[in-house]
Amino acid sequence: MLLEYKDGWIEYKKLTVRGLELLRKGRVIEALPFHIIRWSEDAPINVKTCGMLDPKVVEELKRKLLESVDPILSLDKQILKRWLTLMIKGQTIRTSDREIFLEIQQNYFQYALLYTDHKGNIINLPEQGGILDQPADWMFFLLAFKTSFVEELANNNKGR
């Protein structure tokens, strides 16, 4: 993703779990080096150089980072869990939030089995690095998927 401003540009990646925690604590400048991939500046990417950015650019970048994960993080956990349970069962959903549901189904659900095993455990991560370096939206989804998958698995095995 690219943010262009008057004096240059910044290429950045999706908001990570670490970045989300730092933003929630109000430590925006500390979160930026984890998300900036490269920029037009002739300086290395670190907290000190990110602190020298124009405040308007920092606010715009913060807004875009939060916007990149907003569709899934803004959903109610119970609604997402119900949707996932229905998707696991193979049922279609008729809802007023059809666009959000289709986005989740296309962008997340169809790839969820690549990251989980037959028991619902998360065995692969979407990106390189540890848990804190993963996209926040993916980790939120995978944790909800794991819960729904395990509950559905338990319901299927009750009568045996």
Side-chain angles (χ1 to χ4, degrees), residues 68-100:
S68 71
V69 296
D70 188 52
I72 196 152
L73 291 181
S74 64
L75 281 177
D76 183 68
K77 289 180 183 181
Q78 291 301 320
I79 291 173
L80 179 62
K81 187 177 160 196
R82 279 190 226 123
W83 282 359
L84 287 170
T85 303
L86 291 173
M87 282 188 241
I88 290 168
K89 290 179 180 179
Q91 298 176 356
T92 57
I93 299 172
R94 290 189 171 89
T95 177
S96 59
D97 299 329
R98 185 109 176 111
E99 293 171 14
I100 297 170

Side-chain angles (χ1 to χ4, degrees), residues 89-142:
K89 290 179 180 179
Q91 298 176 356
T92 57
I93 299 172
R94 290 189 171 89
T95 177
S96 59
D97 299 329
R98 185 109 176 111
E99 293 171 14
I100 297 170
F101 168 72
L102 288 174
E103 181 181 339
I104 289 171
Q105 191 171 21
Q106 291 172 350
N107 296 336
Y108 298 97
F109 187 75
Q110 74 180 41
Y111 300 109
L113 292 177
L114 297 173
Y115 304 123
T116 57
D117 66 3
H118 65 286
K119 293 182 180 179
N121 298 316
I122 299 171
I123 56 170
N124 293 322
L125 295 173
E127 293 188 6
Q128 292 180 351
I131 295 287
L132 294 177
D133 299 321
Q134 302 305 311
D137 57 340
W138 261 107
M139 293 312 297
F140 182 80
F141 177 82
L142 285 175

Side-chain angles (χ1 to χ4, degrees), residues 6-48:
K6 184 175 65 172
D7 299 331
W9 53 270
I10 296 174
E11 184 180 348
Y12 61 97
K13 63 181 182 176
K14 266 188 171 182
L15 186 63
T16 62
V17 174
R18 179 190 324 252
L20 183 62
E21 288 301 313
L22 288 170
L23 290 180
R24 284 183 177 165
K25 292 177 183 176
R27 297 161 55 182
V28 178
I29 299 298
E30 289 180 40
L32 293 182
F34 297 110
H35 299 92
I36 296 175
I37 298 170
R38 54 192 182 129
W39 61 7
S40 59
E41 306 291 323
D42 289 334
I45 301 168
N46 56 39
V47 176
K48 184 178 178 182

